[in-house]
Amino acid sequence: MTEEQISLLSQLAVRAGEEILKIYAEPFEVENKLDGSPVTKADAAAEKIILDGLTEAFPDIPVVAEEAVEAGDLPAVGTRYFLVDPLDGTKEFLKKNGEFTVNIALVDDGVPVFGVVYAPALGEIYWGTLASAATSGSASAYKANVVQGSILDAEHITVRTPPSEGLSVLASRSHLSKETSALIDRLNVAERLSVGSSLKLCWVAAGKADLYPRLAPTMQWDIAAGDAVVRAAGGSVVYAESGSDFVYRVPPKATKDDLRNPHFIALSSTALLPEPAQAF
């Protein structure tokens, strides 16, 4: 992926985030989707900005976007497509704690080869690129600040070596399942951390934590952008049951249910997986 394309996609996320913050600052109504999850007009407004931008810049690449899929628009895709979650962490948005994100990912042959994650209320943006047929250069991941719409002070990020005294393990602030809690209880944990949305993946990528197990429902668009950042920073996202790399697919004639993720683990090193991996 060229620097120009990376800049374009990052700026799309920032523009969507600016629109979200306008709504965030005002009273707004909350509706429930068919699955009971909350949604606000910020989701639709941010998604429109992203879809318009992707359609103009990448007219030949299909886009799978959360709110469009919810409305029944799931395009046929091949092996290369964008995944968009315009507002991940709606519960954090409603709680006004700032821990929500804009997510744009490019998937190529099952692998998220680029992802950008923007936390507009925190002014933090992360992105990562993997070398593939769809990109150029070597793997690299970055974190930067966003000030008045400008991306500043970009710094290279990498996963950390797990400390000998024990792991820092991330858990969802709003979606912590009993299965995930039980798994964490079995690990050598020195610190438990909680943060909302795809920021958990970014924290693993940035060396703030060692492990993020998710044994609870998620969708492809929830994790693909953060997954790209983790992999570009030297970490892994794997299936919880097998320990093999997570793969993204949209089968022919897919429905929303086909985009639900199996349980997964994001981690700084696969050496953290027990033998056998099924022990998770």
Side-chain angles (χ1 to χ4, degrees):
M1 179 161 288
T2 67
E3 291 297 324
E4 182 180 1
Q5 290 171 328
I6 292 171
S7 176
L8 185 151
L9 291 167
S10 299
Q11 287 295 337
L12 264 184
V14 169
R15 285 173 49 207
E18 290 174 342
E19 189 64 26
I20 288 170
L21 288 180
K22 291 177 185 177
I23 297 167
Y24 189 60
E26 305 169 350
F28 52 81
E29 295 183 358
V30 182
E31 300 178 358
N32 287 319
K33 300 180 185 180
L34 294 177
D35 62 4
S37 60
V39 64
T40 73
K41 65 180 182 180
D43 298 73
E47 185 163 298
K48 184 179 187 308
I49 288 171
I50 296 169
L51 291 181
D52 287 349
L54 292 178
T55 299
E56 180 178 353
F58 303 93
D60 297 328
I61 303 178
V63 182
V64 177
E66 180 177 12
E67 302 312 319
V69 172
E70 187 69 28
D73 183 10
L74 176 52
V77 306
T79 58
R80 193 173 182 218
Y81 60 97
F82 282 108
L83 275 167
V84 171
D85 188 344
L87 177 50
D88 183 40
T90 302
K91 289 188 176 180
E92 317 311 327
F93 181 84
L94 298 178
K95 293 174 185 176
K96 298 278 187 171
N97 66 16
E99 296 175 356
F100 52 88
T101 57
V102 179
N103 298 265
I104 305 171
L106 175 63
V107 173
D108 187 32
D109 198 20
V111 177
V113 294
F114 173 80
V116 57
V117 176
Y118 176 42
L122 305 180
E124 297 178 359
I125 190 166
Y126 302 80
W127 67 93
T129 308
L130 298 176
S132 78
T135 64
S136 59
S138 58
S140 56
Y142 295 88
K143 174 183 181 294
N145 300 316
V146 178
V147 180
Q148 296 182 342
S150 297
I151 299 173
L152 306 172
D153 305 320
E155 57 180 304
H156 185 254
I157 57 174
T158 61
V159 296
R160 71 180 188 177
T161 300
S164 58
E165 60 267 25
L167 303 174
S168 291
V169 178
L170 281 160
S172 174
R173 189 180 296 284
S174 298
H175 303 279
L176 182 60
S177 68
K178 292 180 180 179
E179 293 84 357
T180 304
S181 293
L183 185 157
I184 293 172
D185 289 340
R186 296 165 51 200
L187 300 172
N188 177 27
V189 177
E191 180 183 30
R192 290 194 186 201
L193 304 170
S194 292
V195 68
S197 70
S198 56
L199 283 169
K200 292 181 286 296
L201 291 153
C202 295
W203 279 24
V204 172
K208 292 184 178 182
D210 306 295
L211 196 76
Y212 164 39
R214 182 62 181 249
L215 279 64
T218 55
M219 305 295 290
Q220 285 192 28
W221 49 66
D222 291 322
I223 71 168
D227 182 346
V229 179
V230 170
R231 298 192 202 200
S236 300
V237 176
V238 301
Y239 293 114
E241 290 188 358
S242 67
S244 58
D245 288 340
F246 198 98
V247 177
Y248 295 79
R249 301 288 186 204
V250 179
K253 299 181 180 179
T255 67
K256 178 182 175 181
D257 286 343
D258 293 312
L259 303 180
R260 296 189 188 281
N261 296 327
H263 295 167
F264 68 88
I265 305 163
L267 63 174
S268 58
S269 169
T270 53
L272 297 177
L273 288 171
E275 289 292 341
Q278 285 85 345
F280 270 114

